[in-house]
């Protein structure tokens, strides 16, 4: 059983707390810190936390605290991590790790130098559908991964600090792109180095300085492409989708919004339907178990099991650092309008990656371009001559 200090008492802290205390888990939140006394006290009452405080060090340093959960705004992450380092406490932190790669690198180096446990709370790689997809891809069901696309769009975040470019470190890219980039990495392979990024970003709707919409491509050393689509301008709720294409197959995942649970209501009843739902009437899309569908249950199980077992979790500060480096390149590309290199001072994956360009053989003379059965029952082959390069079609049945 782990004693947890919660830093933060707002939206994400409450999501985390709901996951940590649900399903009769033995782990307990034993202290909570907030910058506002009334918020800390209310959180403590709601979750039966024995100690609340407006002093971060007090929440962290208590002897019953085994691990600290940082659920604070982006600009406070580094100070909170350093407080954990000074106290010698294990730490897990919400996404993104830093506002940029420089911040993330300092935090990574600090926890590793101190020798403390560190976990990166990227919940969307822990969703049940994502975990199953990762398993199938690992078994070779899709063959060699060519393209992994992840999309997260909604009408915008909940708290005021998200809309402040300096406090958040950016807009939709830093807020949502961190999810999408790490999702693509898990499908392509986290040991495959990201090389460069091409990104478009703009402020289309919101009266803010940061971007509210962006699309980016990340090129990897094995030839695969990761793609992210993020927006704070999407109307209709929270849309979370992934698509992965390989040489032997394709998969589609819908984690939120259109998941097979749809409801029409006149609006006479009121209440919470799903995160970022924009209406209480008409066709709505409830989510049966948000804590599970968004990955929080599996994420904290991995984190706390890893702490207990003395191993690293699936997601560490190092993963957060790589994500920040990719997003830095995306921001540079959005300004220069060209491919920008991913600058990684530390790389722990493969250093030599073979790009598989093997062409599919049909026979000794031809490569197979495509095979299909037509609507009138003929079996047609598209072939390429290995010597001349000529492309022909052949009906074989």
């Amino acid at each position: 059983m782990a004693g947890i200090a919660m830093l933060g008492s707002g939206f994400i802290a409450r999501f985390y707390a709901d996951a940590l205390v649900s399903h009769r888990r033995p782990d307990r939140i034993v202290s909570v810190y907030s910058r506002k006394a009334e918020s800390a006290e209310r959180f403590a009452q709601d979750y039966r936390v024995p100690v609340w405080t407006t002093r971060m060090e007090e929440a962290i340093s208590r002897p019953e605290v085994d691990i600290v959960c940082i659920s604070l705004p982006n600009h406070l992450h580094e100070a909170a991590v350093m407080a954990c380092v000074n106290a010698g406490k294990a730490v897990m932190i919400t996404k993104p790790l830093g506002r940029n790669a420089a911040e993330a690198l300092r935090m990574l180096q600090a926890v590793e130098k101190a020798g403390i446990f560190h976990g990166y709370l990227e919940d969307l790689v822990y969703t049940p559908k994502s975990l199953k997809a990762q398993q199938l891809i690992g078994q070779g069901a899709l063959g060699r991964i060519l393209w992994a696309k992840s999309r997260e769009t909604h009408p915008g975040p909940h708290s005021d600090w998200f809309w402040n470019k300096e406090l958040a470190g950016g807009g939709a890219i830093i807020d949502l792109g961190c999810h999408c980039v790490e999702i693509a990495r898990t499908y392509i392979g986290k040991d495959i180095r990201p090389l460069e990024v091409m990104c478009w970003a703009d402020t289309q709707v919101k009266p803010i300085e940061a971007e509210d919409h962006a699309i980016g491509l990340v090129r990897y050393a094995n030839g695969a492409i990761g793609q992210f689509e993020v927006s704070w301008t999407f109307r209709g709720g929270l849309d979370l989708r992934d698509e992965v294409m390989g040489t032997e197959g394709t998969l589609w995942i819908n984690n939120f919004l259109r998941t097979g649970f749809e409801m029409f209501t006149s609006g006479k009843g009121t209440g919470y339907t799903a995160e970022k739902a924009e209406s209480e009437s008409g066709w709505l899309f409830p989510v049966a178990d948000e804590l599970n569908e968004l990955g929080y249950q599996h994420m904290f199980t991995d984190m706390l099991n890893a702490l207990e077992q003395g191993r690293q979790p699936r997601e560490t500060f190092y993963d957060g650092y790589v994500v920040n480096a990719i997003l830095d390149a995306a921001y540079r590309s959005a300004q220069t309008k060209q491919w920008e290199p991913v600058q990684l001072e530390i790389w722990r994956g493969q250093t030599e990656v073979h790009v598989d360009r093997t062409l599919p053989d049909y026979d000794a003379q031809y490569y197979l371009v495509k095979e299909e059965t037509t609507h009138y029952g003929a079996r047609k082959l598209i072939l390429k001559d290995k010597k001349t390069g000529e492309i022909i079609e052949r009906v074989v049945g």
Side-chain angles (χ1 to χ4, degrees):
M1 183 179 84
I4 302 160
M6 184 68 72
L7 305 188
S9 58
F11 176 84
I12 193 62
R14 285 177 172 268
F15 250 128
Y16 288 169
D18 287 339
L20 286 164
V21 303
S22 66
H23 293 203
R24 300 183 66 87
R25 299 183 69 111
D27 311 296
R28 292 290 178 266
I29 302 172
V30 296
S31 65
V32 58
Y33 155 81
S34 179
R35 291 166 292 167
K36 298 178 180 178
E38 61 272 20
S39 181
E41 184 176 15
R42 186 167 60 250
F43 184 99
Q45 291 173 349
D46 290 345
Y47 294 99
R48 300 181 181 180
V49 179
V51 176
W52 65 267
T53 178
T54 57
R55 295 181 61 248
M56 185 185 298
E57 290 76 9
E58 181 181 346
I60 293 171
S61 61
R62 300 185 65 85
E64 65 269 30
V65 171
D66 299 303
I67 187 168
V68 179
C69 181
I70 299 175
S71 51
L72 294 168
N74 297 355
H75 67 290
L76 301 176
H77 286 190
E78 187 171 7
V81 167
M82 296 311 171
C84 294
V85 168
N86 292 336
K89 296 289 188 178
V91 58
M92 49 188 175
I93 188 168
T94 192
K95 62 80 193 174
L97 178 55
R99 290 176 291 180
N100 51 58
E103 279 189 357
L105 181 60
R106 289 195 296 269
M107 287 183 265
L108 171 64
Q109 291 174 329
V111 295
E112 290 189 337
K113 182 178 180 181
I116 61 175
F117 176 95
H118 50 96
Y120 180 54
L121 299 178
E122 177 42 78
D123 59 292
L124 293 185
V125 305
Y126 287 97
T127 71
K129 293 173 184 175
S130 294
L131 292 173
K132 184 65 174 181
Q134 293 167 37
Q135 176 189 345
L136 293 171
I137 289 170
Q139 293 170 353
L142 302 191
R144 177 167 54 92
I145 302 303
L146 306 172
W147 174 46
K149 180 177 76 171
S150 183
R151 167 188 171 93
E152 180 170 1
T153 62
H154 56 60
H158 302 277
S159 301
D160 54 1
W161 64 266
F162 277 103
W163 304 91
N164 184 309
K165 184 177 180 179
E166 181 179 352
L167 298 183
I173 292 176
I174 193 74
D175 178 34
L176 309 179
C178 60
H179 285 306
C180 298
V181 163
E182 186 65 356
I183 290 167
R185 286 186 70 226
T186 63
Y187 293 142
I188 292 169
K190 292 202 295 183
D191 61 335
I192 306 300
R193 184 166 186 148
L195 299 179
E196 56 183 354
V197 180
M198 170 65 79
C199 181
W200 165 87
D202 200 358
T203 309
Q204 294 185 309
V205 174
K206 307 295 186 181
I208 57 173
E209 294 181 4
E211 76 289 345
D212 61 16
H213 196 168
I215 300 171
L217 298 175
V218 184
R219 188 172 71 86
Y220 286 81
N222 65 350
I225 288 288
Q227 180 176 339
F228 62 83
E229 300 176 357
V230 297
S231 183
W232 287 346
T233 67
F234 177 79
R235 304 305 303 271
L238 173 57
D239 185 18
L240 296 176
R241 284 182 276 165
D242 302 336
E243 182 176 349
V244 187
M245 181 179 73
T247 55
E248 301 299 327
T250 301
L251 66 81
W252 293 315
I253 292 177
N254 197 326
N255 279 311
F256 222 83
L257 190 64
R258 301 302 294 268
T259 61
F261 190 168
E262 302 181 16
M263 173 184 74
F264 178 86
T265 174
S266 65
K268 287 186 178 181
T270 59
Y272 182 84
T273 301
E275 183 184 347
K276 296 182 176 69
E278 290 199 273
S279 174
E280 293 182 350
S281 64
W283 280 105
L284 304 179
F285 308 100
V287 179
D289 185 349
E290 288 191 29
L291 297 177
N292 189 53
E293 291 302 313
L294 288 173
Y296 294 119
Q297 300 283 9
H298 293 287
M299 177 179 72
F300 282 118
T301 296
D302 177 47
M303 292 289 158
L304 298 173
N305 281 348
L307 176 67
E308 183 179 280
Q309 296 163 8
R311 61 171 175 84
Q312 285 192 337
R314 293 169 66 100
E315 295 284 316
T316 71
F317 276 29
Y318 178 72
D319 296 300
Y321 163 64
V322 174
V323 168
N324 269 127
I326 293 172
L327 297 184
D328 280 3
Y331 276 115
R332 291 195 303 270
S333 176
Q335 293 295 318
T336 65
K337 313 298 183 186
Q338 60 187 10
W339 287 93
E340 289 289 339
V342 178
Q343 298 172 355
L344 285 166
E345 293 189 32
I346 302 174
W347 173 245
R348 294 172 179 167
Q350 298 184 48
T351 55
E352 295 184 9
V353 178
H354 171 67
V355 179
D356 186 1
R357 302 293 188 189
T358 303
L359 300 177
D361 279 321
Y362 176 68
D363 58 21
Q365 183 178 357
Y366 292 106
Y367 294 118
L368 176 63
V369 178
K370 184 185 177 184
E371 179 179 358
E372 67 176 341
T373 300
T374 68
H375 65 284
Y376 50 88
R379 180 167 166 255
K380 181 188 289 188
L381 304 176
I382 306 296
L383 305 172
K384 179 180 179 179
D385 192 289
K386 295 179 180 180
K387 292 182 178 179
T388 67
E390 180 186 11
I391 295 179
I392 66 168
E393 67 178 64
R394 179 182 294 174
V395 177
V396 295

